[in-house]
Amino acid sequence: MKKLIPFLVASLLFNLPLIGQNTSADLDGTDGRIVVDSTNFSFTRLSAASFTMWVNADWSSGNNYLLDFAEGGGYANGTNGMRFLLGEFQNQIRLYTYYNQNNTQPVSTGSIAATANEWIHVAAVIEAGRTVGTTTTYNITLYVNGQAEGQGTKGITDANAALRDLHLNAGSNLRLGCRWNQQNNSFLDGALDNVMIYDRALSAAEVMDMACNGSGPTNGRVIYYNFNEGAGTKAFDLSGGGHDGNLMGGYSWSAGVFNGFGSQTPTAAWNENTQAPSLVVQFQNQTQGAAGHLWKFGDGDSSTQTNPRHTYATEGTYNVCLTSENVCGNASSPTCKDINVDCPKAVSAFIYTVEDRKVVFEADTNGIQNFTWTFSDGTQDITGPDKGTASKIFGVYGSYEVCLYVSSPCGVDTLCEMIPVFASGIDESRLEASWKIYPNPSSGMVYVSTTTPFEKGLIVRDISGRVVFETLELIDAEYGLDLSALEAGIYYIEGLTENHISRKQWVKE
């Protein structure tokens, strides 16, 4: 591998302490940029290259070009030029490697967890793999905060082996914080610090060390800006190559990165979304600067997901704790709080109205997601989320068992009732007039007086339709019911004959 970059004074610089305050270059997102002096900057026949930097940006603002190196005399004219573009596009960090303006899909990390005013460490490593014929395949790894977040490949085809190797000519367009041609909507809105470029592949351990300790290896470093100048218009190249950068457009100096994540401990923070009635809780992690998480849900279960969705077995109050750690293994103290999971059990309840052989059923729909009605005459069930009200025409008169099965996020329940289906007409009005209940209202003791025998007995239902009392003995005169155990409210007392049902309302005080 032949290097055309001079390193004559590099060893001296690396042994010198960095002076000045710890600052970074802050670009305005409009026209701020760093133009690298590429007069003598070039490399050829490289089998690997690495780009690393710290970035503090508003990732929601759109495209954020971190660096763009393009051969001005080659790539711009569509000839066999090479280009390396690292940036954030649509909340994803991507690396594009072009050759002759022909690029494959970029490697991407996925969505960025970082928010505005939060430093993250970004690294991209390109390394030659197999060569088949005139095509060399390069393996690309993207790192965010020391962790490999994306991997992919890029094939470069050329009969000239020197051209398909990684290369860049002297005098190429080298930009930090914008596109190589300074096109609109390509400027970084944020700060850069400790930008380093290597002519070799950094190892995963080296990238992690940079993220944790804020340092970087010197071996193979061909450009290094630490921005500790803190003033003026120059970004000095400390690699020894003399490839200084000119700060242009909207820029300023702001606080930079010092020790990396190794001296930091995250503070676990979170909230939850509980939507009653439900046993499911969605947790939202709000911890900044963390790479790993441990949730304990207070019911014996746990999760290492960032934003877990947990289903509890029963409603209740649970003490939930989150512990987070950063990429360097520094763990937070647990952040705990009680959450209330409100999920009353499903209750099956219904009332009905009999009109000759047609019966209309009305269920209590509170919190219910699905209803299923079944009938003892063997006809088809009625089921669905909108079947809280249902009607049924029975083929013949008689008594039928009707069951309502209900389900909700909190469970299932069933209610079965015997429904008398009798003929209606003139006899029904006579039956209504032939009996009475008294006193009404009363505190619990109530009497039924009738001149028409109720051969099938009496039934008492609450307002939801549930049977709270029944007797199947013959009622042919006066009958006393002690209902003092019932709660105050409205009830229905039903008298049953062989062919009819008659109902009267009674109020318990």
mmCIF file of all heavy atoms in Angstrom, residues 101-124:
data_model
loop_
_atom_site.group_PDB
_atom_site.id
_atom_site.type_symbol
_atom_site.label_atom_id
_atom_site.label_comp_id
_atom_site.label_asym_id
_atom_site.label_seq_id
_atom_site.Cartn_x
_atom_site.Cartn_y
_atom_site.Cartn_z
ATOM 1 N N GLN A 101 -20.126 7.768 -10.193
ATOM 2 C CA GLN A 101 -21.519 8.169 -9.923
ATOM 3 C C GLN A 101 -22.467 6.974 -9.846
ATOM 4 O O GLN A 101 -23.658 7.105 -10.059
ATOM 5 C CB GLN A 101 -22.022 9.156 -10.985
ATOM 6 C CG GLN A 101 -21.282 10.480 -10.944
ATOM 7 C CD GLN A 101 -21.958 11.550 -11.765
ATOM 8 O OE1 GLN A 101 -22.932 11.318 -12.458
ATOM 9 N NE2 GLN A 101 -21.440 12.757 -11.687
ATOM 10 N N ASN A 102 -21.940 5.800 -9.550
ATOM 11 C CA ASN A 102 -22.772 4.597 -9.466
ATOM 12 C C ASN A 102 -22.692 4.073 -8.041
ATOM 13 O O ASN A 102 -21.653 3.602 -7.612
ATOM 14 C CB ASN A 102 -22.273 3.531 -10.449
ATOM 15 C CG ASN A 102 -23.079 2.251 -10.333
ATOM 16 O OD1 ASN A 102 -24.235 2.294 -9.972
ATOM 17 N ND2 ASN A 102 -22.441 1.131 -10.628
ATOM 18 N N ASN A 103 -23.783 4.205 -7.301
ATOM 19 C CA ASN A 103 -23.757 3.760 -5.912
ATOM 20 C C ASN A 103 -24.849 2.732 -5.663
ATOM 21 O O ASN A 103 -25.900 2.749 -6.287
ATOM 22 C CB ASN A 103 -23.966 4.941 -4.953
ATOM 23 C CG ASN A 103 -25.371 5.466 -4.999
ATOM 24 O OD1 ASN A 103 -25.797 5.979 -6.029
ATOM 25 N ND2 ASN A 103 -26.092 5.342 -3.909
ATOM 26 N N THR A 104 -24.555 1.834 -4.759
ATOM 27 C CA THR A 104 -25.578 0.900 -4.301
ATOM 28 C C THR A 104 -26.282 1.518 -3.103
ATOM 29 O O THR A 104 -26.007 2.643 -2.709
ATOM 30 C CB THR A 104 -24.940 -0.437 -3.904
ATOM 31 O OG1 THR A 104 -23.965 -0.180 -2.892
ATOM 32 C CG2 THR A 104 -24.262 -1.102 -5.088
ATOM 33 N N GLN A 105 -27.192 0.746 -2.514
ATOM 34 C CA GLN A 105 -27.865 1.244 -1.316
ATOM 35 C C GLN A 105 -26.835 1.476 -0.217
ATOM 36 O O GLN A 105 -25.944 0.653 -0.005
ATOM 37 C CB GLN A 105 -28.921 0.253 -0.839
ATOM 38 C CG GLN A 105 -30.155 0.203 -1.720
ATOM 39 C CD GLN A 105 -30.889 1.535 -1.729
ATOM 40 O OE1 GLN A 105 -31.068 2.167 -0.697
ATOM 41 N NE2 GLN A 105 -31.308 1.957 -2.904
ATOM 42 N N PRO A 106 -26.928 2.589 0.505
ATOM 43 C CA PRO A 106 -25.944 2.879 1.550
ATOM 44 C C PRO A 106 -26.154 1.995 2.774
ATOM 45 O O PRO A 106 -27.231 1.449 2.998
ATOM 46 C CB PRO A 106 -26.236 4.344 1.889
ATOM 47 C CG PRO A 106 -27.706 4.479 1.604
ATOM 48 C CD PRO A 106 -27.969 3.607 0.398
ATOM 49 N N VAL A 107 -25.121 1.871 3.559
ATOM 50 C CA VAL A 107 -25.261 1.230 4.854
ATOM 51 C C VAL A 107 -25.936 2.210 5.800
ATOM 52 O O VAL A 107 -25.631 3.394 5.806
ATOM 53 C CB VAL A 107 -23.883 0.828 5.407
ATOM 54 C CG1 VAL A 107 -24.019 0.191 6.780
ATOM 55 C CG2 VAL A 107 -23.216 -0.142 4.452
ATOM 56 N N SER A 108 -26.868 1.722 6.610
ATOM 57 C CA SER A 108 -27.627 2.605 7.482
ATOM 58 C C SER A 108 -27.693 2.018 8.877
ATOM 59 O O SER A 108 -27.723 0.803 9.063
ATOM 60 C CB SER A 108 -29.047 2.794 6.933
ATOM 61 O OG SER A 108 -29.838 3.477 7.873
ATOM 62 N N THR A 109 -27.710 2.917 9.885
ATOM 63 C CA THR A 109 -27.828 2.448 11.265
ATOM 64 C C THR A 109 -29.272 2.219 11.678
ATOM 65 O O THR A 109 -29.530 1.618 12.702
ATOM 66 C CB THR A 109 -27.244 3.481 12.239
ATOM 67 O OG1 THR A 109 -28.060 4.653 12.191
ATOM 68 C CG2 THR A 109 -25.835 3.817 11.887
ATOM 69 N N GLY A 110 -30.222 2.725 10.966
ATOM 70 C CA GLY A 110 -31.593 2.744 11.452
ATOM 71 C C GLY A 110 -31.858 4.064 12.160
ATOM 72 O O GLY A 110 -31.066 5.000 12.103
ATOM 73 N N SER A 111 -32.982 4.155 12.857
ATOM 74 C CA SER A 111 -33.372 5.417 13.489
ATOM 75 C C SER A 111 -32.373 5.823 14.563
ATOM 76 O O SER A 111 -31.868 4.991 15.312
ATOM 77 C CB SER A 111 -34.773 5.286 14.100
ATOM 78 O OG SER A 111 -35.711 5.043 13.091
ATOM 79 N N ILE A 112 -32.111 7.103 14.650
ATOM 80 C CA ILE A 112 -31.168 7.630 15.631
ATOM 81 C C ILE A 112 -31.901 7.923 16.938
ATOM 82 O O ILE A 112 -32.936 8.582 16.949
ATOM 83 C CB ILE A 112 -30.518 8.916 15.099
ATOM 84 C CG1 ILE A 112 -29.687 8.592 13.853
ATOM 85 C CG2 ILE A 112 -29.638 9.558 16.159
ATOM 86 C CD1 ILE A 112 -29.143 9.821 13.177
ATOM 87 N N ALA A 113 -31.356 7.418 18.028
ATOM 88 C CA ALA A 113 -31.979 7.661 19.326
ATOM 89 C C ALA A 113 -31.566 9.009 19.908
ATOM 90 O O ALA A 113 -32.219 9.525 20.799
ATOM 91 C CB ALA A 113 -31.609 6.544 20.303
ATOM 92 N N ALA A 114 -30.482 9.563 19.399
ATOM 93 C CA ALA A 114 -29.985 10.826 19.947
ATOM 94 C C ALA A 114 -30.950 11.961 19.677
ATOM 95 O O ALA A 114 -31.678 11.965 18.698
ATOM 96 C CB ALA A 114 -28.626 11.156 19.344
ATOM 97 N N THR A 115 -30.955 12.927 20.550
ATOM 98 C CA THR A 115 -31.800 14.103 20.386
ATOM 99 C C THR A 115 -30.916 15.341 20.283
ATOM 100 O O THR A 115 -29.695 15.272 20.374
ATOM 101 C CB THR A 115 -32.754 14.251 21.578
ATOM 102 O OG1 THR A 115 -31.983 14.322 22.782
ATOM 103 C CG2 THR A 115 -33.696 13.068 21.652
ATOM 104 N N ALA A 116 -31.529 16.463 20.085
ATOM 105 C CA ALA A 116 -30.784 17.709 20.006
ATOM 106 C C ALA A 116 -30.011 17.937 21.305
ATOM 107 O O ALA A 116 -30.466 17.562 22.388
ATOM 108 C CB ALA A 116 -31.732 18.866 19.731
ATOM 109 N N ASN A 117 -28.839 18.578 21.173
ATOM 110 C CA ASN A 117 -27.984 18.911 22.314
ATOM 111 C C ASN A 117 -27.430 17.682 23.011
ATOM 112 O O ASN A 117 -27.133 17.714 24.195
ATOM 113 C CB ASN A 117 -28.736 19.784 23.335
ATOM 114 C CG ASN A 117 -29.252 21.059 22.718
ATOM 115 O OD1 ASN A 117 -28.545 21.713 21.951
ATOM 116 N ND2 ASN A 117 -30.489 21.417 23.031
ATOM 117 N N GLU A 118 -27.249 16.595 22.271
ATOM 118 C CA GLU A 118 -26.662 15.380 22.829
ATOM 119 C C GLU A 118 -25.540 14.915 21.900
ATOM 120 O O GLU A 118 -25.738 14.716 20.705
ATOM 121 C CB GLU A 118 -27.725 14.280 22.945
ATOM 122 C CG GLU A 118 -27.182 12.973 23.494
ATOM 123 C CD GLU A 118 -28.250 11.892 23.567
ATOM 124 O OE1 GLU A 118 -29.441 12.233 23.415
ATOM 125 O OE2 GLU A 118 -27.884 10.727 23.762
ATOM 126 N N TRP A 119 -24.354 14.770 22.458
ATOM 127 C CA TRP A 119 -23.217 14.321 21.657
ATOM 128 C C TRP A 119 -23.313 12.826 21.386
ATOM 129 O O TRP A 119 -23.639 12.040 22.281
ATOM 130 C CB TRP A 119 -21.912 14.611 22.392
ATOM 131 C CG TRP A 119 -21.502 16.055 22.339
ATOM 132 C CD1 TRP A 119 -21.671 16.993 23.323
ATOM 133 C CD2 TRP A 119 -20.844 16.715 21.261
ATOM 134 N NE1 TRP A 119 -21.178 18.199 22.916
ATOM 135 C CE2 TRP A 119 -20.648 18.066 21.655
ATOM 136 C CE3 TRP A 119 -20.400 16.314 20.004
ATOM 137 C CZ2 TRP A 119 -20.038 19.008 20.845
ATOM 138 C CZ3 TRP A 119 -19.782 17.246 19.186
ATOM 139 C CH2 TRP A 119 -19.608 18.573 19.603
ATOM 140 N N ILE A 120 -23.043 12.439 20.139
ATOM 141 C CA ILE A 120 -22.914 11.031 19.799
ATOM 142 C C ILE A 120 -21.615 10.847 19.021
ATOM 143 O O ILE A 120 -21.118 11.775 18.380
ATOM 144 C CB ILE A 120 -24.097 10.495 18.980
ATOM 145 C CG1 ILE A 120 -24.139 11.133 17.591
ATOM 146 C CG2 ILE A 120 -25.408 10.675 19.711
ATOM 147 C CD1 ILE A 120 -25.165 10.490 16.670
ATOM 148 N N HIS A 121 -21.068 9.635 19.105
ATOM 149 C CA HIS A 121 -19.854 9.311 18.377
ATOM 150 C C HIS A 121 -20.219 8.483 17.151
ATOM 151 O O HIS A 121 -20.964 7.502 17.249
ATOM 152 C CB HIS A 121 -18.877 8.528 19.256
ATOM 153 C CG HIS A 121 -17.548 8.289 18.593
ATOM 154 N ND1 HIS A 121 -17.219 7.082 18.012
ATOM 155 C CD2 HIS A 121 -16.482 9.112 18.399
ATOM 156 C CE1 HIS A 121 -15.999 7.164 17.495
ATOM 157 N NE2 HIS A 121 -15.531 8.380 17.722
ATOM 158 N N VAL A 122 -19.725 8.898 15.991
ATOM 159 C CA VAL A 122 -20.035 8.232 14.724
ATOM 160 C C VAL A 122 -18.732 7.754 14.093
ATOM 161 O O VAL A 122 -17.743 8.501 14.070
ATOM 162 C CB VAL A 122 -20.763 9.194 13.755
ATOM 163 C CG1 VAL A 122 -21.021 8.513 12.409
ATOM 164 C CG2 VAL A 122 -22.072 9.676 14.364
ATOM 165 N N ALA A 123 -18.723 6.523 13.593
ATOM 166 C CA ALA A 123 -17.554 5.998 12.893
ATOM 167 C C ALA A 123 -18.010 5.141 11.729
ATOM 168 O O ALA A 123 -19.025 4.431 11.828
ATOM 169 C CB ALA A 123 -16.674 5.180 13.834
ATOM 170 N N ALA A 124 -17.275 5.210 10.621
ATOM 171 C CA ALA A 124 -17.532 4.374 9.457
ATOM 172 C C ALA A 124 -16.214 3.734 9.044
ATOM 173 O O ALA A 124 -15.203 4.425 8.891
ATOM 174 C CB ALA A 124 -18.107 5.199 8.306
#
